[in-house]
């Protein structure tokens, strides 16, 4: 995510314009459009986790998971805190968990040919 669109800026005193909101949403959805990052966010939706736990959840290499986490952290989608020598990751807010849940729910409907609902 570009520095000008960093999510932490979205909670400023001014209400962002529709164009800015759409641009940030496109960038967020673009970050979710990767299997490893989507898996990481799905796992983090269940609670905090360290890199070892996230690597096991993804089935990807530790290096790959670390690089994806760095992108998510830089974009402001995840936070980190130190627990001794470990870095523990968490979703920045519940909107991301719900977004991932909704995307997976839409996938379930498409795969299982379920009827639409609101």
């Amino acid at each position: 995510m570009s520095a000008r669109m960093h999510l932490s800026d979205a909670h400023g005193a001014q209400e962002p314009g529709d164009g800015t909101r759409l641009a940030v949403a496109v960038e967020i959805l673009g970050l979710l459009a990767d299997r490893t990052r989507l898996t990481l966010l799905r796992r983090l939706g269940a609670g905090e986790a360290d890199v070892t736990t996230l690597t096991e959840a993804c089935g990807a290499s530790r290096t790959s998971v670390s690089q994806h986490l760095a992108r998510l952290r830089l974009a402001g989608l995840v936070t980190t805190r130190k627990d001794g020598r470990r870095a523990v990751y968490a979703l920045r807010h519940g909107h991301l968990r719900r977004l991932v849940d909704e995307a997976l729910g839409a996938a379930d409907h498409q795969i299982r040919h379920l009827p639409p609902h609101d």
Side-chain angles (χ1 to χ4, degrees):
M1 183 167 281
S2 65
R4 66 182 170 73
M5 295 293 180
H6 194 274
L7 293 179
S8 64
D9 298 335
H11 293 292
Q14 268 188 339
E15 187 69 25
D18 202 40
T20 300
R21 289 179 68 221
L22 290 171
V24 171
V26 166
E27 291 194 42
I28 291 170
L29 292 171
L31 285 166
L32 269 62
D34 177 275
R35 184 184 191 114
T36 300
R37 287 192 294 271
L38 187 60
T39 303
L40 289 169
L41 293 173
R42 180 181 64 180
R43 171 53 190 85
L44 289 172
E48 294 182 328
D50 63 9
V51 176
T52 301
T53 301
L54 293 169
T55 299
E56 292 168 1
C58 289
S61 72
R62 186 178 185 91
T63 302
S64 175
V65 168
S66 292
Q67 290 172 350
H68 285 290
L69 287 168
R71 282 194 73 183
L72 293 170
R73 190 179 69 246
L74 183 62
L77 300 183
V78 299
T79 61
T80 60
R81 67 174 178 82
K82 284 292 196 181
D83 182 23
R85 293 177 37 191
R86 300 177 328 149
V88 179
Y89 291 83
L91 289 182
R92 186 169 192 91
H93 48 72
H95 291 290
L96 295 170
R97 181 185 46 77
R98 291 187 297 276
L99 182 59
V100 170
D101 289 346
E102 287 295 329
L104 293 172
D108 287 340
H109 274 261
Q110 195 163 352
I111 292 166
R112 297 178 183 155
H113 306 289
L114 299 173
H117 63 83
D118 284 338

